[in-house]
Amino acid sequence: MNENYKLLTEHLRKVADLNYAAALLQWDQEVYMPENGAAGRANQLATLSGMAHECSVDTRLGELLSVLINDTTLSEKELRNVKEAHRNYNDKKKYTTDFVVNMSRTVSDAFNSWQQAKERSDFSLFAPHLEKLVALKLQECQLLGYKDHPYDALINQHEPGCTTQELKRVFENVKQVLVPFVKSVIATSQAEDDFTHKKYDRQKQWDFGIGLLKEMGFDFNSGRQDISSHPFTINFNSRDVRVTTRINEHDLCEMIWSCIHEGGHALYEQGLPYDDYGMPSGEYLSLGIHESQSRLWENNVGRSRAYWQYHFPKLKAIFPEELSSVSADHFYAVINRVAPSLIRTNADELTYHLHVLIRFEIEIALMEGAVAVKDLPQLWNSKYREYLGVEVPSDAKGVLQDVHWSHGSFGYFPTYSLGSFYAAQFYNKALEAIPELETEIANGNTSSLLNWLRTNIHAYGRLYTAEELCIRITGKPLDFNEFMIYIRRKFPIPS
């Protein structure tokens, strides 16, 4: 190996060690940490974040990258790693250590206040912390710089190269094409879902979820599942990937699709090249691509008739009394029931994008200064009334339902819709590549699909942009029409 490239690898792995050590503390904070540990944990995370930042902007790293970026002896993969690392370095240099430490401490405090506020359904407990975060995110936009809109700087962190204008065009499609389609679907007869709200034993649900993860291909020797208030996936390397779920004994669907969704994220992380730890080629590409993996498994596979042809008899054997009068066809109709709802994570795969649209518009308003933090509950409730026709009964089921803002993750929500649209395009291509795929899924075999994803997506890490990868796989950039092809096939509207 080129000696300078070897030095770069060693340095970037040191940065990764610090970042993943902090990530492990964050995982513990959301899963096991006792309430009184919050203040100490905030300091620990701030210290590690500061150390990681200082290592990320070390002048020796900059000098090394300046040499390597002009090194003609590097392979194509090595050069792509260098270019991506150089871009990261230049972005990190725009931050001061004080800013990074302040952001980390503010996020830790905000997360703990959000948990308390959600438990008490009182936004006012979270509002002062959110005000600090919004101010810091606006400061971050100025540090990073942007061409047309401050939100550009935020979305670029999650979906590199994407702009506010591009997102507005995507959500214009949602408004103009998807919304009328959704209304047409809702107008058709929707299956009664009363059986999903019977009491389903917590431990039996847990065991079933573990089985689903195993059958998807999740490696429990390289990961684990736990309970958290908001399901998430986190990794410390591709051989240590953690997922969380939540269980509601009176909502059978919540845990099942939480497991499948987070399992999709986890399979992506476990599929990244372990030997490239710390390098861009060993990291996920973008949140849109990451979300494409979870949404593909959750919806294209996990809500398909073929998937439940195999899994419904197993579920019925576990809950024979609760599901005694439920047929496989009725179960399929219910899990694809389209209806307005309050909670994004529980929404069907069509109205889901209206939940994302609401958050996108609110974040834009916050970054433009068009709305004050204290007025968010009122704005949130009015948009749910406007777009979904539902009345929000409480802060916990409204503006406090998502953890993202307490993490400072502004610009994140749009990637959920981007991910669904990528997922449909990728899945349509997988069906072409594997003609027998749905037959295999109906027989409980998803290994061909996982191998296809590993070969075409997971193996490349961040060697390509999302657009380059999409073209490489499907022959064209992201195309919203591919999503409409998929859902029109799945939700035929009677003429």
Side-chain angles (χ1 to χ4, degrees):
M1 181 187 292
N2 179 302
E3 189 60 33
N4 283 330
Y5 189 80
K6 182 179 179 182
L7 290 173
L8 174 66
T9 301
E10 291 172 354
H11 192 104
L12 293 182
R13 284 179 174 169
K14 182 179 178 181
V15 175
D17 288 343
L18 290 167
N19 282 326
Y20 287 126
L24 181 58
L25 291 181
Q26 290 170 334
W27 170 81
D28 175 72
Q29 179 176 259
E30 297 199 36
V31 178
Y32 288 121
M33 187 188 77
E35 183 177 345
N36 290 342
R41 183 57 49 84
N43 289 332
Q44 292 160 354
L45 285 167
T47 297
L48 283 172
S49 295
M51 292 170 64
H53 177 71
E54 288 172 357
C55 194
S56 296
V57 298
D58 191 314
T59 54
R60 291 170 296 180
L61 174 59
E63 292 166 358
L64 189 59
L65 286 166
S66 296
V67 171
L68 282 167
I69 206 163
N70 296 308
D71 191 332
T72 58
T73 68
L74 296 177
S75 68
E76 180 183 355
K77 176 181 175 180
E78 289 170 339
L79 184 58
R80 283 181 177 268
N81 271 329
V82 169
K83 287 180 177 179
E84 188 64 16
H86 193 256
R87 184 183 70 81
N88 291 344
Y89 176 78
N90 288 332
D91 282 346
K92 295 286 187 184
K93 287 286 286 184
K94 296 174 182 178
Y95 295 94
T96 64
T97 301
D98 285 345
F99 178 87
V100 172
V101 170
N102 188 20
M103 177 65 82
S104 175
R105 186 172 285 114
T106 303
V107 164
S108 291
D109 291 341
F111 171 73
N112 291 311
S113 73
W114 168 78
Q115 280 193 312
Q116 294 172 9
K118 186 176 182 182
E119 287 171 3
R120 301 175 191 178
S121 194
D122 185 354
F123 180 76
S124 67
L125 298 176
F126 178 51
H129 299 275
L130 184 56
E131 286 175 354
K132 291 179 184 178
L133 271 177
V134 170
L136 279 173
K137 298 308 285 189
L138 284 168
Q139 184 182 343
E140 186 175 11
C141 292
Q142 297 302 319
L143 289 172
L144 290 171
Y146 54 87
K147 184 179 179 182
D148 297 316
H149 195 286
Y151 199 69
D152 289 348
L154 302 180
I155 187 63
N156 190 62
Q157 293 177 315
H158 305 301
E159 197 66 21
C162 191
T163 66
T164 307
Q165 282 304 114
E166 289 173 4
L167 289 176
K168 286 182 176 179
R169 284 194 292 271
V170 168
F171 284 107
E172 192 60 31
N173 275 323
V174 171
K175 288 181 179 180
Q176 299 300 322
V177 181
L178 184 59
V179 168
F181 181 81
V182 170
K183 288 180 179 178
S184 298
V185 174
I186 291 174
T188 64
S189 177
Q190 298 292 314
E192 290 299 324
D193 65 347
D194 292 355
F195 74 85
T196 66
H197 302 295
K198 293 179 179 180
K199 185 174 181 180
Y200 291 87
D201 180 78
R202 181 183 179 88
Q203 186 61 47
K204 289 180 180 179
Q205 284 196 62
W206 171 268
D207 292 342
F208 184 70
I210 293 292
L212 291 178
L213 286 170
K214 287 179 178 178
E215 288 169 348
M216 288 170 65
F218 181 77
D219 180 4
F220 275 91
N221 290 321
S222 298
R224 58 178 290 127
Q225 178 173 260
D226 293 275
I227 297 291
S228 68
S229 60
H230 190 106
F232 68 95
T233 300
I234 194 167
N235 75 298
F236 315 120
N237 59 68
S238 62
R239 296 181 184 175
D240 188 354
V241 181
R242 317 285 177 95
V243 295
T244 69
T245 190
R246 63 185 175 203
I247 298 174
N248 182 342
E249 288 198 321
H250 294 281
D251 187 347
L252 176 63
C253 296
E254 185 163 315
M255 186 281 306
I256 290 174
W257 277 277
S258 168
C259 284
I260 298 174
H261 178 96
E262 299 305 333
H265 280 305
L267 291 176
Y268 184 15
E269 293 289 356
Q270 289 187 338
L272 294 170
Y274 178 75
D275 291 341
D276 290 354
Y277 171 80
M279 304 299 288
S281 55
E283 299 172 348
Y284 72 86
L285 173 50
S286 74
L287 286 182
I289 297 300
H290 220 313
E291 196 62 25
S292 77
Q293 302 306 283
S294 60
R295 300 297 280 181
L296 186 151
W297 284 98
E298 177 189 358
N299 293 326
N300 303 82
V301 176
R303 296 184 193 274
S304 71
R305 191 181 296 276
Y307 188 78
W308 288 101
Q309 183 175 324
Y310 178 78
H311 289 286
F312 184 65
K314 289 188 171 188
L315 183 64
K316 199 165 186 176
I318 294 171
F319 298 109
E321 184 177 340
E322 295 85 349
L323 298 175
S324 60
S325 62
V326 182
S327 68
D329 284 342
H330 184 56
F331 182 80
Y332 174 75
V334 166
I335 66 174
N336 288 289
R337 188 173 186 268
V338 179
S341 61
L342 285 168
I343 307 300
R344 174 186 62 84
T345 55
N346 295 347
D348 61 81
E349 64 179 307
L350 300 188
T351 62
Y352 182 89
H353 301 290
L354 305 188
H355 292 263
V356 177
L357 170 63
I358 289 169
R359 288 152 177 79
F360 172 61
E361 292 186 344
I362 289 175
E363 289 189 345
I364 292 291
L366 279 171
M367 292 304 114
E368 291 177 345
V371 62
V373 167
K374 66 181 178 62
D375 297 325
L376 285 184
Q378 181 181 351
L379 178 60
W380 181 285
N381 296 353
S382 69
K383 283 188 178 290
Y384 264 77
R385 192 177 303 115
E386 175 188 356
Y387 286 120
L388 287 158
V390 297
E391 294 295 328
V392 178
S394 66
D395 288 347
K397 292 185 176 181
V399 70
L400 288 172
Q401 68 180 265
D402 295 301
V403 71
H404 301 62
W405 290 342
S406 75
H407 286 166
S409 295
F410 293 86
Y412 192 124
F413 284 116
T415 65
Y416 286 124
S417 285
L418 291 179
S420 291
F421 305 151
Y422 275 124
Q425 195 160 331
F426 294 156
Y427 191 69
N428 288 344
K429 196 65 180 180
L431 288 173
E432 287 181 23
I434 315 169
E436 67 281 7
L437 179 58
E438 293 196 334
T439 300
E440 291 182 0
I441 291 172
N443 289 321
N445 180 11
T446 56
S447 60
S448 292
L449 176 61
L450 180 56
N451 289 336
W452 187 87
L453 294 170
R454 289 265 158 90
T455 301
N456 289 282
I457 298 173
H458 306 175
Y460 293 110
R462 278 166 54 200
L463 290 179
Y464 302 101
T465 66
E467 182 173 297
E468 287 171 341
L469 185 68
C470 190
I471 293 171
R472 185 182 180 91
I473 296 170
T474 69
K476 59 182 177 180
L478 180 64
D479 182 354
F480 180 78
N481 290 327
E482 292 278 346
F483 178 72
M484 294 305 300
I485 289 169
Y486 156 67
I487 64 170
R488 285 187 175 120
R489 184 170 63 233
K490 188 171 185 178
F491 301 94
I493 305 296
S495 56

